[in-house]
Amino acid sequence: MTHDRKTRVFISYSRKDKRFAQKLNAALDEAGMEAWMDLEDIPLTADWMAEITSAIEGSDAFLFVISPDSAKSEVCTRELDLAIAGNKKVIPVLYRDLEKRQKTHPKLASTNWVYLRSKKENFKKSFPFLISSIKTDLGWVKQHTRLQQRANEWNHKKRQSLYLLQGSDLTDAEKWMGDSTVYEGREVTPLQAEYIRASRTHATQKQRNLTIGITLITAASILIVIFAILQWHNALENAKLASENAAIAAQNEEIALTQRALAEESAREALEKANEARAQRSAAQANVYKERPGELDTSTLLAIESMTRSPSPEAENVLRNNLSKMPVPVAQIKHKGRIWNIQNSSDGQYIVSASADHTACVWTLAGEKVYCVQHERDVTDALVTDDNSLLVTGSLDGNVRFWDFKDGSAQETFNFGSGILDIDISPDNRFVIAGREDGFISVMDIVRRKHVYFFDFASGPITVTKFQPNGEWVGVATKEGMSRVWRIFSGVPEKGSQHNAEVFSLVFSPNGKLMVTASEDSTARIARAETGRQTHVIPHMDWVEDAAFGPDSSWFATASDDKLVRVFDANTGIEKLRMSHGSFVQRVRVSPNGNWIASTGYDFTARIWDAHTGALMLEASIDG
């Protein structure tokens, strides 16, 4: 038996390995498989257990991401035990080596591992071995999943015969169970074996009942023939009576036609009332959905349906409100890989994008591509000088490059032998700073076109570099959670806020007095910009991905994986506003006049909020 459905894969991982699990999830989806991972941090409740159990029971393979954190995770162990209880195909994937003398589950220890360690194995070269492990004996495994699901359904439905196997399904299942005794590594669960045996017993009994039924029908047919002869004699006598009744039937037919007309009129009125009721229900649902994050499209469709069935002021008001919040796209720019950063030119006439497809491109506001420049690996950042003379790009290939902004011709290349994670241009357009994977900051003179200074911060890869508005100080943040403020060329950095995990964003207030950092440790922290002294720690419920200041420096906004955009007073750290998305929020920006806040994230929407009230002003649906 063949099944055309996609192979289902369950990914068990520790929250510390979330980024790798997301990368693994995307790679499996691209390979044509249907991957499932607990992306939303479901609470440890009965509902959570039911959802996890259902996902594992429906999977063909169970991937366990091995790391020091997953090996001691109670949740991961519970998921592994569920997979073992269901005789699932368990494939250990080593992402981070275990600590010395750290024990792992006996099932993992006895099963061949797939090695995908970030610092020792090339993901693209090692990933095919994982696909090969999943596909080994895939036909038998898929049948195992299908029979386990049907057996569970039979058991949950109090073992009703309606849910038993029949015909070719039963024959295939018996052959499948027989194969499990021939080939090594194939194990049938007790519930599956009981389900197949019960199906065969029921099929045998059904066949016996069919044979008895045919015999009884044959005997009944003979009796019917005898009865028919007797009835023929009665029919002759009834013919006369039927003639007399014909006249009465004609009168009754006229009465029936009248009653039918009345019934059709009643049915038409009932249909109109039902249609009106459905229209009212759709209008009410549209009114509810328009207030929910990410449901503006659903609300609009419900309002249109209501207006189509039976126009009403309520549905019209919802439709008008929604249409006012749905911007019309005027242009689209597209890369072949993820876009890491976009930036406007200072005159507002061009957009610059940096992408994982190894290019940075310049576009007009109409969406027309002016040109693209090429690197050997991901372009992590691309910026334009204020006078529109130079395009500056940084890449994981270790190069910072200067390009003529008018035509994209190459001007200078600085090769540092280490991936560039972030760049920034000083406010006076004199210097470019670059944060490197090896922990160094490099300074390049734009006028002299030379590398003039470098400094070793010795605290992990530099994830963020940012000039203070006056250009005298530089903010630096690292993958290890450290932040520093550094007077350029002085070589003596001041210690800033210290996080417990990677810093994703560092921003200065426009007046240059404050610095805010956003981190994987689920906090945003406020510090004095020139001394680095921390003043406030603002906890969130999940990773803080981004931050942005208002133009008067009195407030700032954060974007977090807890699905919220929040506005805080910059001097006290007190929360002023909060706005909701339907999933992780990844980026937040504030308009130059401070009236609007823009945000986007995993719910596939970009949103514009009123910065004074938090009201949703626009919502645009996107594809990723």
Side-chain angles (χ1 to χ4, degrees):
M1 176 177 291
T2 60
H3 302 284
D4 295 332
R5 68 168 176 80
K6 292 183 178 180
T7 302
R8 300 169 186 156
V9 182
F10 183 98
I11 303 175
S12 178
Y13 69 103
S14 165
R15 286 288 173 272
K16 294 289 186 178
D17 306 319
K18 181 164 72 172
R19 288 207 182 281
F20 173 74
Q22 289 174 332
K23 179 178 181 180
L24 188 59
N25 183 89
L28 289 169
D29 286 346
E30 187 175 350
M33 298 185 179
E34 184 178 337
W36 194 100
M37 60 180 287
D38 169 13
L39 190 62
E40 295 291 348
D41 292 333
I42 303 171
L44 297 175
T45 65
D47 289 341
W48 169 85
M49 200 64 219
E51 184 167 348
I52 291 297
T53 301
S54 177
I56 293 175
E57 287 178 351
S59 66
D60 300 312
F62 178 95
L63 302 191
F64 189 97
V65 178
I66 298 178
S67 72
D69 299 294
S70 66
K72 55 192 175 185
S73 166
E74 179 183 351
V75 174
C76 292
T77 301
R78 290 177 68 182
E79 291 174 347
L80 179 58
D81 289 338
L82 283 172
I84 295 171
N87 281 339
K88 292 298 175 181
K89 183 173 187 178
V90 177
I91 302 176
V93 177
L94 181 62
Y95 172 55
R96 290 188 289 128
D97 289 324
L98 299 176
E99 298 169 354
K100 289 185 178 180
R101 292 185 294 276
Q102 185 177 14
K103 295 182 179 180
T104 186
H105 196 284
K107 177 65 177 177
L108 300 179
S110 63
T111 306
N112 290 333
W113 294 5
V114 176
Y115 293 86
L116 290 177
R117 291 171 294 187
S118 59
K119 296 183 178 181
K120 296 184 178 182
E121 285 83 28
N122 183 291
F123 186 88
K124 290 184 178 180
K125 291 183 178 179
S126 300
F127 184 70
F129 293 104
L130 175 59
I131 296 299
S132 176
S133 296
I134 293 173
K135 290 185 175 181
T136 300
D137 209 14
L138 187 56
W140 193 90
V141 169
K142 283 189 174 183
Q143 180 73 330
H144 183 285
T145 301
R146 177 173 179 269
L147 286 173
Q148 185 65 37
Q149 289 178 315
R150 292 194 62 175
N152 286 337
E153 182 181 24
W154 170 67
N155 197 38
H156 292 157
K157 297 293 184 178
K158 298 182 179 179
R159 305 200 172 194
Q160 298 179 46
S161 59
L162 178 64
Y163 298 91
L164 292 172
L165 297 169
Q166 300 180 34
S168 60
D169 281 350
L170 176 56
T171 302
D172 291 342
E174 289 174 329
K175 180 179 182 302
W176 172 86
M177 185 166 65
D179 289 344
S180 68
T181 64
V182 177
Y183 299 97
E184 184 179 354
R186 296 182 175 181
E187 296 180 7
V188 178
T189 66
L191 180 60
Q192 287 174 326
E194 187 177 2
Y195 177 57
I196 294 170
R197 284 195 295 269
S199 296
R200 173 51 65 193
T201 300
H202 176 72
T204 302
Q205 185 61 45
K206 187 176 179 181
Q207 182 63 38
R208 288 186 187 138
N209 293 341
L210 179 62
T211 302
I212 294 171
I214 291 173
T215 302
L216 293 175
I217 290 172
T218 302
S221 298
I222 295 172
L223 294 175
I224 289 171
V225 171
I226 296 172
F227 179 75
I229 295 173
L230 296 175
Q231 288 296 99
W232 174 67
H233 292 289
N234 292 335
L236 294 176
E237 296 177 2
N238 291 335
K240 181 179 179 181
L241 182 60
S243 178
E244 296 173 355
N245 291 336
I248 299 174
Q251 295 177 0
N252 291 338
E253 182 179 2
E254 184 176 354
I255 296 173
L257 290 173
T258 302
Q259 292 176 339
R260 179 179 177 183
L262 293 174
E264 288 177 349
E265 178 64 20
S266 298
R268 184 184 64 78
E269 292 178 356
L271 181 61
E272 289 179 356
K273 290 181 180 179
N275 201 44
E276 183 177 351
R278 291 192 184 99
Q280 292 174 351
R281 184 171 66 252
S282 294
Q285 289 176 329
N287 196 47
V288 172
Y289 275 103
K290 76 181 177 65
E291 303 299 334
R292 294 182 180 179
E295 297 291 358
L296 198 63
D297 288 347
T298 303
S299 173
T300 303
L301 291 173
L302 287 167
I304 292 173
E305 180 193 15
S306 178
M307 291 291 291
T308 302
R309 289 184 179 276
S310 179
S312 67
E314 183 180 13
E316 183 178 351
N317 289 338
V318 172
L319 197 57
R320 289 180 183 275
N321 172 78
N322 291 358
L323 291 177
S324 71
K325 294 180 179 179
M326 299 176 71
V328 178
V330 297
Q332 182 178 32
I333 63 177
K334 186 173 181 62
H335 281 267
K336 295 180 180 179
R338 175 172 179 173
I339 298 175
W340 288 113
N341 190 35
I342 58 173
Q343 183 80 21
N344 290 340
S345 60
S346 59
D347 59 7
Q349 299 303 306
Y350 298 95
I351 297 173
V352 178
S353 56
S355 173
D357 66 5
H358 304 177
T359 67
C361 297
V362 178
W363 316 80
T364 67
L365 292 184
E368 298 174 354
K369 182 167 65 177
V370 181
Y371 61 81
C372 292
V373 297
Q374 188 77 35
H375 276 263
E376 299 302 317
R377 292 185 61 191
D378 292 21
V379 181
T380 53
D381 206 357
L383 303 173
V384 183
T385 55
D386 284 346
D387 59 2
N388 281 8
S389 62
L390 284 181
L391 169 66
V392 182
T393 58
S395 170
L396 293 181
D397 63 12
N399 292 312
V400 174
R401 292 178 175 169
F402 293 175
W403 315 82
D404 188 299
F405 184 71
K406 292 181 179 179
D407 58 15
S409 59
Q411 299 293 307
E412 297 291 338
T413 297
F414 303 92
N415 187 300
F416 298 109
S418 178
I420 306 300
L421 300 181
D422 195 28
I423 61 173
D424 197 22
I425 300 175
S426 62
D428 61 1
N429 290 294
R430 178 65 189 275
F431 298 105
V432 173
I433 54 173
R436 294 159 42 178
E437 285 186 315
D438 59 7
F440 281 80
I441 285 284
S442 288
V443 183
M444 289 141 281
D445 190 310
I446 294 177
V447 176
R448 296 164 57 195
R449 307 290 175 89
K450 289 186 177 180
H451 179 214
V452 294
Y453 198 82
F454 67 93
F455 187 81
D456 183 4
F457 281 86
S459 55
I462 307 296
T463 54
V464 186
T465 57
K466 191 69 177 178
F467 274 102
Q468 189 190 31
N470 64 14
E472 295 181 4
W473 293 80
V474 172
V476 177
T478 75
K479 191 176 183 65
E480 304 303 324
M482 310 292 284
S483 70
R484 297 283 189 270
V485 286
W486 174 52
R487 185 184 291 274
I488 190 167
F489 301 128
S490 72
V492 182
E494 300 290 345
K495 181 181 292 187
S497 297
Q498 308 302 299
H499 289 268
N500 298 321
E502 180 176 350
V503 179
F504 296 135
S505 178
L506 180 153
V507 290
F508 286 106
S509 60
N511 63 13
K513 294 182 178 181
L514 297 176
M515 178 177 72
V516 171
T517 50
S519 169
E520 184 183 345
D521 69 359
S522 302
T523 67
R525 303 185 183 224
I526 308 173
R528 305 302 300 178
E530 294 185 354
T531 65
R533 181 177 62 85
Q534 181 175 288
T535 60
H536 296 87
V537 177
I538 304 175
H540 290 61
M541 290 180 288
D542 209 332
W543 296 2
V544 186
E545 300 278 0
D546 201 8
F549 266 97
D552 65 358
S553 302
S554 68
W555 59 274
F556 65 92
T558 63
S560 171
D561 282 1
D562 61 12
K563 308 178 186 179
L564 296 176
V565 177
R566 299 183 186 181
V567 176
F568 297 93
D569 185 286
N571 294 310
T572 65
I574 297 175
E575 182 176 341
K576 300 169 63 177
L577 294 172
R578 65 170 54 187
M579 294 79 82
S580 297
H581 274 257
S583 188
F584 303 160
V585 191
Q586 297 286 295
R587 292 288 181 270
V588 63
R589 294 290 183 269
V590 178
S591 63
N593 62 12
N595 290 334
W596 315 108
I597 297 173
S599 58
T600 186
Y602 270 65
D603 64 358
F604 297 171
T605 66
R607 306 185 185 200
I608 305 295
W609 313 88
D610 187 309
H612 305 289
T613 66
L616 177 64
M617 308 307 296
L618 292 173
E619 179 179 316
S621 295
I622 53 180
D623 295 330

